[in-house]
Amino acid sequence: MQHIFDKVVVITGASSGLGAETARHLVKAGAKVVLGARRLDRMETLATELGLPKEAAFKVDVADREQVKALVDHAVKLHGRIDVMINNAGLMPLAPLEMLRFDEWDQCIDVNIKGVLWGIAAALPYFKDQKSGQFINVSSVAGHTISAGGAIYSATKYSVRVISEALRKEVKPYNIRTTVLSPGAVDTELPGSVGAPGVNEAIADYYKNNAIPADSFARCVLFAMSQPEYIDINEILFRPTVQEL
């Protein structure tokens, strides 16, 4: 963990689930964490739990490019640099296309694709100037396989992998690392973003019976971050042992 100590890490979607659990593990490893999400009260409670200053919690909607830039600028103002950008915020509005849930399609694209792009755009200038840095972008098992009802969600998560691979090739001159984490069913609030009647009950039941703890994701983050700078862990795909999809 010597490669994690004292690193400045920005996490989106940090008010619960994968983001919050990752923050706990990173602080324990000695990192300086800045939390970003819409629910400021939840993040302030988490910051208190972790012994972080109140300023470590920053309200942000990742669908808004200027807000994401403000989050990263805030982290740099607090700590003088940024070493890792974890683009974790995401939604999973599973539903058959024939249900025509247009608002969910827009929101999913805005958060899952644009949110990642805005995170990259905000941190990349700092990483280039430093000649160091690491992006950790969150895809999904659904970014590797497609199921009925998952067209929009899978499209966004495939996009995260495409964006990340292009980024990997582009940033070689700047000594920047890129990692994609693709989790399967992990115990978070993500199933709560499934709003389609009938689908939401089935997904909630599946997660209740099969999901693995959120620390599974956090340990993957720490593994990718803890490598020496000459090692670039580009992708980790993991799921519950019992998960067939």
Side-chain angles (χ1 to χ4, degrees), residues 76-157:
V76 173
K77 184 177 180 181
L78 277 179
H79 299 293
R81 61 186 291 115
I82 174 175
D83 298 297
V84 183
M85 181 70 192
I86 304 180
N87 291 305
N88 164 68
L91 299 170
M92 187 176 68
L94 303 176
L97 291 171
E98 65 182 345
M99 295 184 76
L100 303 179
R101 298 176 69 86
F102 300 128
D103 289 344
E104 289 187 352
W105 297 0
D106 282 337
Q107 188 179 29
C108 189
I109 290 167
D110 286 345
V111 173
N112 291 5
I113 300 179
K114 291 182 180 178
V116 171
L117 287 171
W118 304 155
I120 292 169
L124 185 54
Y126 291 111
F127 288 172
K128 286 175 63 177
D129 287 345
Q130 296 167 183
K131 293 293 192 292
S132 68
Q134 183 173 14
F135 289 103
I136 299 180
N137 299 329
V138 181
S139 180
S140 168
V141 165
H144 295 258
T145 185
I146 307 164
S147 299
I152 304 303
Y153 181 61
S154 282
T156 65
K157 290 305 185 178

Side-chain angles (χ1 to χ4, degrees), residues 2 14 32 36 46 59 67 86 109 123 148 172 191 198 220 231 234 239:
Q2 69 269 26
K32 297 174 181 177
L46 178 60
K59 186 174 182 179
Q67 288 189 36
I86 304 180
I109 290 167
K172 290 301 176 183
C220 289
I231 298 176
N234 299 128
R239 42 163 81 80

Side-chain angles (χ1 to χ4, degrees), residues 57-239:
F58 191 91
K59 186 174 182 179
V60 62
D61 179 351
V62 299
D64 187 312
R65 177 169 54 88
E66 291 302 323
Q67 288 189 36
V68 180
K69 183 180 184 301
L71 165 66
V72 172
D73 290 346
H74 174 72
V76 173
K77 184 177 180 181
L78 277 179
H79 299 293
R81 61 186 291 115
I82 174 175
D83 298 297
V84 183
M85 181 70 192
I86 304 180
N87 291 305
N88 164 68
L91 299 170
M92 187 176 68
L94 303 176
L97 291 171
E98 65 182 345
M99 295 184 76
L100 303 179
R101 298 176 69 86
F102 300 128
D103 289 344
E104 289 187 352
W105 297 0
D106 282 337
Q107 188 179 29
C108 189
I109 290 167
D110 286 345
V111 173
N112 291 5
I113 300 179
K114 291 182 180 178
V116 171
L117 287 171
W118 304 155
I120 292 169
L124 185 54
Y126 291 111
F127 288 172
K128 286 175 63 177
D129 287 345
Q130 296 167 183
K131 293 293 192 292
S132 68
Q134 183 173 14
F135 289 103
I136 299 180
N137 299 329
V138 181
S139 180
S140 168
V141 165
H144 295 258
T145 185
I146 307 164
S147 299
I152 304 303
Y153 181 61
S154 282
T156 65
K157 290 305 185 178
Y158 270 89
S159 293
V160 171
R161 293 180 59 220
V162 170
I163 291 164
S164 300
E165 177 61 7
L167 178 67
R168 181 188 71 80
K169 294 180 177 180
E170 292 175 10
V171 299
K172 290 301 176 183
Y174 311 109
N175 194 41
I176 297 170
R177 300 190 291 177
T178 62
T179 302
V180 178
L181 298 185
S182 296
V186 178
D187 185 16
T188 70
E189 296 179 357
L190 189 62
S193 63
V194 181
V199 181
N200 51 8
E201 293 91 343
I203 294 298
D205 185 62
Y206 181 85
Y207 270 68
K208 179 180 179 181
N209 293 318
N210 296 285
I212 54 180
D215 70 349
S216 59
F217 176 89
R219 286 184 282 110
C220 289
V221 170
L222 266 66
F223 172 74
M225 283 181 56
S226 65
Q227 305 305 311
E229 284 205 357
Y230 56 82
I231 298 176
D232 192 8
I233 303 297
N234 299 128
E235 187 156 12
I236 300 174
L237 168 64
F238 69 101
R239 42 163 81 80

